[in-house]
Every structure is written in C-alpha cells, then in structure tokens.
Amino acid sequence: MKMYLLSLGAGLLVGVIYALLNVRSPAPPVIALIGLLGILIGEQSVPLVKRALSGEPVNLSWFNRQCMPHVFGHLPGGQAAAGVVKDAAGNDERA
C-alpha cells in the first residue's frame, strides 16, 4: 500500500509543478484511462466465462487468485507477503 501512496504523492507533486508552470500534462485524458480499465476487465471476462461454461466453480478464491493480480498487480499483503507459494503442480503451500 505504501508504494501506491508514494506513487500517488509523486503524481500529485508533478501535477502541482505542471500547474505552477502553466504546462499541460502529457498524461492521457480520464476517458482513455477508463478505456484501459475496460480492457483489463474484458480480458478477465473470457477466463471467467470459459470456467463457468465448463461447469467448474467460479468462486471468490478462484477470482482473487486468477483475476485480481492481473487487473491490480500484486497488491501488498497478498499471498507472497503471507508466505504462500505455488508448488510445481500449482497448489498453494505455506513457505
């Protein structure tokens, strides 16, 4: 979480400097960022639908393990921080 806050703080600082210099930000407009979010969500809908159509359960555990890291990256306090690692078969093990 600390890295996200530092990133936000750095962005705010650069935004203030740009405003003081009367320079337009090269960042994409909000509508483009919303489009990127839609792309990430759309990418995750295909595995979700495939899993549902195959009759496999779509539960919160699967969603958190398969979809969340791709959309949000590996968030602090996730499985790696808890000492959970994958074995050769892809099963969770405590480190």
Side-chain angles (χ1 to χ4, degrees):
M1 185 68 157
K2 183 178 178 182
M3 291 303 295
Y4 289 90
L5 293 175
L6 288 173
S7 179
L8 177 63
L12 288 171
L13 178 63
V14 170
V16 168
I17 292 170
Y18 275 37
L20 292 173
L21 296 174
N22 290 324
V23 175
R24 291 218 11 109
S25 169
V30 172
I31 192 76
L33 297 175
I34 292 171
L36 288 173
L37 178 62
I39 290 170
L40 285 172
I41 293 170
E43 282 180 332
Q44 297 312 303
S45 66
V46 172
L48 184 108
V49 169
K50 282 182 179 179
R51 186 171 175 94
L53 290 176
S54 72
E56 295 180 55
V58 178
N59 53 28
L60 190 58
S61 173
W62 176 85
F63 184 80
N64 285 337
R65 190 175 60 252
Q66 297 297 322
C67 298
M68 295 294 283
H70 182 74
V71 174
F72 295 107
H74 293 284
L75 296 174
Q79 289 183 342
V84 176
V85 295
K86 300 279 184 189
D87 65 10
N91 301 317
D92 290 344
E93 288 184 345
R94 288 274 170 200

